[in-house]
Structures are given as structure tokens and as C-alpha cells.
Amino acid sequence: KEGERGRRARGNGAMGKNGFLTPKAIANRMKSKGLQRLRWYCQMCQKQCRDENGFKCHLKSEGHQRQMQVFGQAPERIVQGYSQEFEDSFLQHFRTAHRHTRISANVLYNEFIADKNHVHMNSTKWLSLSSFVMYLGRTGKCKVEETPKGWFITLIQKDPDDELNDKLKQKRKRAEEADEIRHDRELKAQVDRAKKMAAASSSGGDKAVEEPSEMLREKSDKPLAFDLQKNRRTLDPPQDGTNGRKKTTQCFFDAEIEDSGDAKARSTHASSRSSGPKSAMEEIMEQEKVRRERELASKCWLAEGIVVKILAKELKDAKLYKEKAVVKKTLYKQGRVVGELEHRKSGAVVQVDQQHLETVIPKEGSTVLVVAGPHKGRRAVLRGVDQDKFKARIEVLQADSGARETWAEYEEICKIA
């Protein structure tokens, strides 16, 4: 009996040694309360050690070695991720607790690290709280002040309207860059064609340039029919000694054509085509052509005599990029609007697509031309400019009702030469 009691006692003691309510377990939980040393914390394993010996043992553990292998594959990406997470959580606590307060950076940091599960600073790219505070001030997220009592920071509140305007500006910038990239090749090809034409005209003189023409068919109300027996003829040898060079006979269509009469026959054929009635398909094609011309004219804002800025990067070598030029003529080529421009300084003449041109806003009090909008084609006087909204206040000159003030976009008005 005594041996059995001893075994039971030893068993109860062994069971209680590793239990949850044993003195050692309670002491360990009491020691782990509150914050520990930051240098003895492993962010990769999310483990807090109480002393240097425990931290050294943790560094030699198998789990920590595996985490270090993962870290060695992409150290910069992992550190950047921890830094971004630390910054976001710090600013979120700042917005929640002290949104409109000027507070010491040390006080705010102590409030932030009260949560034991926060991302520790030793895992970020900042070596100290001072460097992190200076980063917040440099990026414009906080207003930073250095005083004898330490660093003080204030959260910068951004206006929603300002954020919206910034987004609009960035969107416009991206759209302009996309347009420039999309039309680079077309403009380059246009410049090459212009150079080739100029070289051909200078070398060939008055040599005519052949251009493709549209194929036309003869129209007639009568149905097409062939009578092969009525006017059938046989080929007879020539009697005038010309060997058949001047006059030939066709046995099927009863047509005698002389070499000297070809031009006359062609002119008669063309006049018969023009005078004949138009088919339904031709009428539809003409209507579609008129519609396209009207649509292209509605999109055109170029006008003779206005000053525009050239934004074609292909003309950098010619020193015409971002230079001002005067519109001399507006051309319509292959569904595009092309302006014939004269450079104000050098006098060089170049043809540039409308999409690579920009309106020029003069100084206040100058006369401008309204190139788009309800007052398109009228002259106006520039009275003011709102740079935040990209609008201009103009006074439209009307002959019947006098002057009228209104607001217009930058793209709707242009300087007059």
C-alpha cells in the first residue's frame, strides 16, 4: 500500500508540474505582462523573448532558421511590407485618437505600441522614431516641429476637393501621354511622306504625280443584252495598205475603234456617266460622305489666324516641339483634321494633326476666338483665369445684344495672331 501511495503522489506531482495553475506557469504569465525589450523580439516569428539568453536560443531554433530562409529570398520586399504596415497602422491610430491635436511623437508612439501585436519598428526601414517622424514630414502626411521638448507632430487634413482636383490633373496628364504615344507613328509617317514629296518636287520639277482614281461604271435604264447574230462580221484584209494598225474590227460587239479617237470616246463615256441617273447605292454613299464631313467639321476646332502650340515630339529635331505657330489653313485628310502651320520665329511651314496641337491662352484683356462650345466662331475678350478649375472668364462680343460674360474651358478659346 505504501508503494502504491508513493506512485500516486509522484504521478500527481508530475501532472501538476506542467499544469496551467502551477506556480511556474502563473509566474511565466506574470512576467510576460506588459511590454518587453524591443531588441529581444523576432518579427518574422512574432515571438517575444524575456532575456538575451532566451533570444539566442530562439535564433538557433529550427523554426527561426526556416523563417530566415524565407526572408533571404526577398528581403527588400518583406522589409517594405512591414514598413508600409507600420506606417498605415500608426497613421490610423493618429486619425482615431488625435485627429486635430498637436501631440508629442513619443507620447503617440507609446500609445501605439501599447498593443502587443503591433508591427515593431526594428522590422521596418526606419532605425529610430526621429527618422520615421522626419519621413512623415517630408512626405507631407504630418506637420513636424522640433522643439527643446522633442518632436511634435500634427496630422495634415486633406480637402476632398483638392484630392479630386489632383486626380483630375493626373488623369489629364495620363490621357495626354497616351494620345502622344498613340499618334507618334502616324505623325512620323506623315513627316516622312512630306519629306519625300518635297524631295520629289524639287528633283522632278513640274513632273505630274499620278494618283489613283475611282472606278466608275456606265449607268443605263435599259437592261444589258447582247445580239451576237445581227451585226456579226468577218475579218477582211485591209485594202488601204495600213496592215490594220489604224482600224480594227471586232466580230462580237460591232465596235470599230481608231487609235486617234480614244480620248474622244473616253470623254463621251465620262459625260454619259455623269449625266445618267444615280443608283440607290450611290445616293447612300453620298449621304454617308456628307455625314462624315459634317461630323469631322463639328470636331474641328482649328481656325485660320489663331495661335496654337505644337506638342508633336517628332518635331524636336526641327526645334518645333512646344513652339507656337499660326494656323494658315485647315485640311481634311483621311478622316483627320490637319492644320497647316507657320512657325512664328523661323517662318517654317509644317502640317500637324489637330490632336498634336493645343490652344494658347493670352494675357488678360486680349482678344480670343471661341473655337468650341455654344459661342463657336465668335470673338471674345479674356477677363480672368481660374487656374484651379482650368477655366477662363470671357466676354463674348455679340452684335445684336452686346457683350456677354461667361466661363469657358481652356480648350474652348484660343489666342488670335
Side-chain angles (χ1 to χ4, degrees), residues 176 179-181 183-188 190-191 308-324 339 341 350-358:
E176 291 177 358
D179 290 340
E180 291 179 0
I181 294 173
H183 296 289
D184 279 348
R185 292 184 178 179
E186 296 180 2
L187 188 57
K188 186 177 181 180
Q190 181 182 354
V191 172
V308 295
K309 181 184 287 187
I310 303 174
L311 298 179
K313 293 184 178 180
E314 288 75 8
L315 299 177
K316 281 186 177 180
D317 298 337
K319 297 182 180 181
L320 297 177
Y321 180 62
K322 288 190 177 181
E323 291 288 328
K324 296 179 182 179
L341 315 177
V350 64
Q351 293 183 0
V352 183
D353 195 296
Q354 177 182 252
Q355 295 181 353
H356 295 276
L357 301 176
E358 186 182 53

Side-chain angles (χ1 to χ4, degrees), residues 64-121:
H64 180 77
Q65 296 296 330
R66 287 196 299 266
Q67 292 293 333
M68 287 297 100
Q69 291 179 0
V70 175
F71 178 80
Q73 295 177 359
E76 296 180 357
R77 181 176 60 84
I78 295 177
V79 172
Q80 183 63 30
Y82 282 135
S83 302
Q84 187 64 37
E85 186 178 353
F86 178 83
E87 179 185 351
D88 295 341
S89 55
F90 185 86
L91 293 177
Q92 181 62 33
H93 175 73
F94 199 179
R95 296 189 193 96
T96 306
H98 308 281
R99 188 178 183 86
H100 304 285
T101 308
R102 176 178 174 270
I103 189 172
S104 173
N106 289 325
V107 174
L108 183 62
Y109 179 71
N110 290 330
E111 292 179 359
F112 172 69
I113 65 175
D115 182 12
K116 295 175 62 176
N117 298 321
H118 74 282
V119 178
H120 291 63
M121 185 175 286

Side-chain angles (χ1 to χ4, degrees), residues 338-351:
V338 180
E340 185 174 308
L341 315 177
E342 180 181 354
H343 190 222
R344 304 192 72 180
K345 297 180 180 179
S346 62
V349 179
V350 64
Q351 293 183 0

Side-chain angles (χ1 to χ4, degrees), residues 216-234:
L216 300 176
R217 295 178 56 189
E218 184 178 1
K219 303 301 183 298
S220 177
D221 294 337
K222 298 180 180 180
L224 183 63
F226 300 99
D227 189 357
L228 303 181
Q229 301 296 332
K230 182 178 180 180
N231 294 323
R232 187 181 180 114
R233 296 184 181 181
T234 58

